[in-house]
Amino acid sequence: MAEHIAVLSNPFAGKGRGARETEVAVAHLRSRGADVRAYTGESAASSRLLATRALDARPGVLVVVGGDGTLSGILDVVCAAGVPVVLVPAGTGNDLARALGLPRRDAVAAADLALTGIPRTIDVGEIRAAGRVDLFLTIAALGFDAKVSDRTNRLRWPRGVLRYYLALVVELVRLRPMDFTVTLDGAEPVHVPGTLVAVGNTPSYGGGMPLCVGAAADDGMLDIVHVAPLTRLRLLRLFPLLLRGVHLARPEVTRRQARTVTVSAPGLVVYADGERIAEDECTIGIRRSALAVLVPSGAGGTP
């Protein structure tokens, strides 16, 4: 085989799932006769350095074992190299894999796409704020949901999913409408108070919550979902509709499409692919056809 396959892994993804899935993926590819070079990151910074080293060696394919955040953390390096990517999902959400119809529970099937996959070119979102540019794959969350994520990360107790639930309760108690100002594609800014704004390149985040249901990763557009100011009770009633992807029919929910959107609000926090990206104000855009991902033949996104 003339070209080798580089495997970059985050062993800490999915509470240790990344390490297990890496062993399975590397063993399978080598059993198929592939020349595999493995790189294991221990942090976001080390993963970026290893991604650069791996891509400098000119592999035919880069296999990334980890979650959405693992891949989004090296997106600028990968997009610049133009090397197709195989994602072996090993995170807690795996929403990009869900959107692209990738195997989410079978590391062998996912890794095998390095040998058998069909290239699919997808868009990449970008967030400009405070002189920085950060890339993302799934949904940028601005508002209540971002504050819950932020609160979860700041809590030291309890552990696991209970910490998220505690953060949810705290933010529900503190719930106040946010004074969003939104500008779509350079039009006049519009003042739209609300509970949250979500900007999606793909339909779901958080492990399958289809907040931006209908978003497509290859249409060159961002889906912007705005939820009007809600009481705590009405917000709780909206959640079951959101989980079923039928919330867009509600009068308090609006959906638009644009290529760029600028959002500002006092106290704004912006999360994307599980990471805190910005605050107060940001401009979100789309990089059309920026990333090639190897997918199964005939793959379609799954709910």
Side-chain angles (χ1 to χ4, degrees):
M1 191 172 292
E3 295 178 322
H4 71 276
I5 295 173
V7 177
L8 176 67
S9 65
N10 175 5
F12 306 106
K15 300 178 181 178
R17 180 183 170 194
R20 299 189 299 272
E21 301 290 59
T22 299
E23 291 182 8
V24 172
V26 169
H28 172 71
L29 291 172
R30 286 177 173 160
S31 74
R32 293 284 306 272
D35 176 8
V36 177
R37 303 181 192 178
Y39 305 81
T40 302
E42 296 180 353
S43 66
S46 67
S47 292
R48 284 183 58 81
L49 290 173
L50 290 173
T52 300
R53 184 187 305 171
L55 293 167
D56 283 347
R58 300 184 181 277
V61 178
L62 174 66
V63 177
V64 178
V65 185
D68 296 331
T70 304
L71 179 53
S72 66
I74 59 171
L75 264 180
D76 56 340
V77 178
V78 177
C79 292
V83 174
V85 168
V86 165
L87 180 60
V88 178
T92 54
N94 301 319
D95 288 286
L96 181 66
R98 182 177 280 101
L100 301 182
L102 304 178
R104 286 182 280 131
R105 300 175 183 86
D106 187 340
V108 169
D112 198 62
L113 294 174
L115 306 173
T116 64
I118 306 299
R120 178 177 174 184
T121 304
I122 66 170
D123 307 328
V124 168
E126 67 170 24
I127 301 173
R128 296 180 178 270
R132 291 182 44 176
V133 179
D134 292 277
L135 304 184
F136 71 98
L137 294 159
T138 59
I139 292 177
L142 307 89
F144 176 78
D145 46 354
K147 288 188 174 184
V148 172
S149 295
D150 203 45
R151 177 73 59 179
T152 302
N153 290 341
R154 287 188 283 127
L155 289 173
R156 295 291 177 263
W157 178 91
R159 290 189 172 188
V161 70
L162 290 178
R163 186 167 58 177
Y164 175 83
Y165 290 143
L166 177 59
L168 181 63
V169 170
V170 171
E171 292 303 324
L172 272 173
V173 171
R174 295 166 57 90
L175 180 66
R176 299 289 187 278
M178 296 194 67
D179 291 323
F180 294 114
T181 298
V182 177
T183 305
L184 299 181
D185 287 336
E188 287 296 315
V190 179
H191 180 61
V192 283
T195 301
L196 64 85
V197 172
V199 181
N201 182 46
T202 62
S204 72
Y205 66 169
M209 291 189 290
L211 185 57
C212 294
V213 60
D218 55 4
D219 64 355
M221 303 294 289
L222 295 165
D223 279 47
I224 299 98
V225 174
H226 171 263
V227 178
L230 298 176
T231 64
R232 298 178 186 89
L233 181 58
R234 289 181 68 192
L235 180 57
L236 288 172
R237 286 176 175 171
L238 184 65
F239 267 103
L241 303 180
L242 190 157
L243 293 174
R244 300 202 307 271
V246 296
H247 55 290
L248 297 183
R250 297 293 305 169
E252 60 267 36
V253 181
T254 59
R255 172 182 178 261
R256 302 284 189 273
Q257 285 191 312
R259 290 183 173 84
T260 63
V261 54
T262 298
V263 183
S264 64
L268 180 71
V269 177
V270 184
Y271 267 73
D273 294 341
E275 302 295 328
R276 181 174 175 140
I277 303 296
E279 56 188 34
D280 297 331
E281 181 175 7
C282 68
T283 296
I284 304 175
I286 195 81
R287 295 188 182 182
R288 186 96 190 248
S289 304
L291 179 69
V293 182
L294 299 183
V295 303
S297 177
T302 56

